[in-house]
Amino acid sequence: MIGSLEGRVALVTGCTGGIGKVISSALAEAGATVVGADMLDDGGAFTEAVPDGRYLRLDVTDEQDWRKTIGTIDAEHGRLDILVHVAGIVVVEKMVNTTLEQWRRQMAVNVDGPFLGTKAAAELMARTGATLPHGSSIIIISSVAGLIGSPLHAGYCASKGAVRLFAKACAMEFAALGQKIRINTVHPSGVRTGMVDHILQRFIDEGFFASLEDAEKGMAPAHPIGRMADPIDVAKAVRFLASDESGYMLGSELVVDGGYTAQ
């Protein structure tokens, strides 16, 4: 099977969200044993998507939570082949109206989360990667907002740009140390989830569009392919980066945006 993940163990953060649960399902369908992590108590959306998966409650901004989560995976599986950082939040606000609390919370989830998780998982993933032909794989969901600017997204753009370069620096460091851990980022444009609906509503509130219909029409020309992304479009990119098919990719940016940034 092309891109098979049989025998591999994956951890997906933000696993109950629109993108996270589809990524979890896609990895499981490719044969991986999937551990989902999120803030919800029961993780119902994840277990519905991945009935055989293991759900763990995790606050990605808490270093102790990360150590506990990685320790559990090590104790139960003895390996971690794939780590997908999906958990993220967006504050849609004019820069001058953004509070320091909003700024810091967005940075804590979107930047501290991948930092703490990568730090906590590195030793186990290096050990696992040494047994694999192309090493273990860390994938951070960034955004086109990590490549270009957008109004009402100053903090979000800053956070997504930060993890883009964090991944590159880690990729170079792991390689220099001889650790077989590949780390890459995925940069989607707007994905039809509840988060995007919230973003569109904020653009309406700030007077950029008159209605949701106008907002959706206004977004259409930004995607030359003719539509916004679906979560499965992002999941397929993640599944590729998680597999040996992407074995020569290190510190790369995989843009999944329907031509959004090609214009």
Side-chain angles (χ1 to χ4, degrees):
M1 175 182 177
I2 295 177
S4 173
L5 300 176
E6 290 289 341
R8 308 215 175 167
V9 176
L11 171 61
V12 181
T13 72
C15 68
T16 64
I19 296 175
K21 66 183 179 182
V22 176
I23 289 174
S24 298
S25 178
L27 296 180
E29 288 175 1
T33 296
V34 180
V35 178
D38 214 319
M39 285 284 287
L40 299 182
D41 289 332
D42 62 1
F46 168 76
T47 54
E48 183 179 345
V50 188
D52 295 331
R54 171 83 151 92
Y55 177 76
L56 298 173
R57 191 179 185 282
L58 168 67
D59 176 353
V60 297
T61 70
D62 188 308
E63 189 165 15
Q64 280 300 115
D65 260 17
W66 268 110
R67 289 174 180 166
K68 181 180 177 181
T69 297
I70 298 302
T72 297
I73 293 171
D74 192 8
E76 294 183 357
H77 302 284
R79 64 187 300 120
L80 181 59
D81 303 79
I82 303 156
L83 171 58
V84 190
H85 292 292
V86 184
I89 62 171
V90 59
V91 174
V92 187
E93 185 58 86
K94 292 176 182 176
M95 186 278 293
V96 295
N97 292 338
T98 301
T99 67
L100 183 58
E101 181 182 4
Q102 288 174 319
W103 174 275
R104 286 177 172 168
R105 178 58 183 166
Q106 195 164 214
M107 289 295 174
V109 175
N110 297 359
V111 184
D112 295 357
F115 160 66
L116 292 172
T118 300
K119 179 182 177 182
E123 182 180 349
L124 178 57
M125 296 194 74
R127 194 167 77 223
T128 300
T131 70
L132 300 171
H134 299 290
S136 54
S137 178
I138 298 174
I139 301 143
I140 303 177
I141 303 301
S142 180
S143 168
V144 293
L147 302 172
I148 59 175
S150 176
L152 306 185
H153 285 76
Y156 188 69
C157 289
S159 70
K160 292 302 185 178
V163 292
R164 169 177 170 261
L165 285 179
F166 170 73
K168 291 181 181 295
C170 288
M172 297 302 97
E173 184 171 314
F174 292 146
L177 294 173
Q179 296 175 319
K180 292 183 67 176
I181 305 174
R182 295 186 298 111
I183 180 167
N184 298 283
T185 52
V186 177
H187 298 259
S189 56
V191 183
R192 286 317 304 258
T193 63
M195 181 182 286
V196 165
D197 290 341
H198 165 69
I199 292 171
L200 293 180
Q201 184 58 53
R202 287 292 296 124
F203 272 93
I204 295 167
D205 295 342
E206 292 295 339
F208 286 84
F209 301 104
S211 66
L212 182 59
E213 182 180 3
D214 286 345
E216 291 177 340
K217 287 180 180 178
M219 290 289 288
H223 299 82
I225 204 168
R227 64 174 177 85
M228 293 178 69
D230 291 319
I232 190 61
D233 295 314
V234 182
K236 288 177 179 177
V238 170
R239 186 170 59 192
F240 167 68
L241 289 175
S243 76
D244 289 338
E245 302 300 314
S246 61
Y248 199 60
M249 295 181 68
L250 181 72
S252 299
E253 304 157 4
L254 188 49
V255 181
V256 185
D257 69 352
Y260 189 100
T261 58
Q263 303 176 88

